[in-house]
Amino acid sequence: QVQLVESGGGLVQAGGSLRLSCAASGSIFSVGSMGWYRQGPEKQRDLVATMSSSGNTKYADSVKGRFTISRDIAKMTVHLQMNRLKPEDTAVYYCSYTRTWPSNYDYWGQGTQVTVST
């Protein structure tokens, strides 16, 4: 089993910054990819940013230029630096880890609330 523990959410004014962190632990057999998704009220869970084991990144168009994902493979941690936050960034942010061996499987954190006020 794999556990993902997130930290860093909170309340911030529009234009401000927050940094989310996530640490994976447990039965980890592959580096896989790690990333962040978010789910706003009455919305589906959408990709925010991911980083593969080789360092390739993918961002949602809405956060490009404002958010930066980084990870420490040795520590199995992933971070999301969020700058110039907007009220529409308000959501529960979920850390994800996708293992690639022995089979593809997605693990999720419990979620951390990010609220951006006007």
Side-chain angles (χ1 to χ4, degrees):
Q1 193 58 276
V2 174
Q3 296 80 41
L4 300 176
V5 178
E6 300 134 334
S7 60
L11 173 65
V12 65
Q13 286 188 330
S17 298
L18 281 175
R19 179 178 170 85
L20 304 183
S21 296
C22 173
S25 62
S27 302
I28 297 172
F29 301 107
S30 66
V31 174
S33 64
M34 294 188 75
W36 296 91
Y37 289 71
R38 67 186 180 187
Q39 187 168 13
E42 300 181 1
K43 294 183 179 179
Q44 66 182 19
R45 189 174 298 186
D46 292 324
L47 177 146
V48 177
T50 60
M51 180 177 283
S52 70
S53 58
S54 60
N56 291 327
T57 58
K58 182 184 295 185
Y59 291 92
D61 288 342
S62 60
V63 307
K64 286 180 180 177
R66 300 188 298 122
F67 292 10
T68 303
I69 189 171
S70 61
R71 70 181 289 195
D72 184 327
I73 290 178
K75 296 181 179 179
M76 285 302 289
T77 57
V78 65
H79 309 280
L80 186 68
Q81 178 65 43
M82 305 185 293
N83 298 328
R84 291 185 281 135
L85 282 159
K86 303 176 181 180
E88 50 264 44
D89 294 318
T90 294
V92 177
Y93 284 69
Y94 295 90
C95 174
S96 73
Y97 162 63
T98 300
R99 78 176 190 201
T100 54
W101 189 92
S103 61
N104 287 352
Y105 190 84
D106 296 327
Y107 294 92
W108 297 93
Q110 79 283 0
T112 184
Q113 177 71 45
V114 171
T115 302
V116 184
S117 64
T118 56

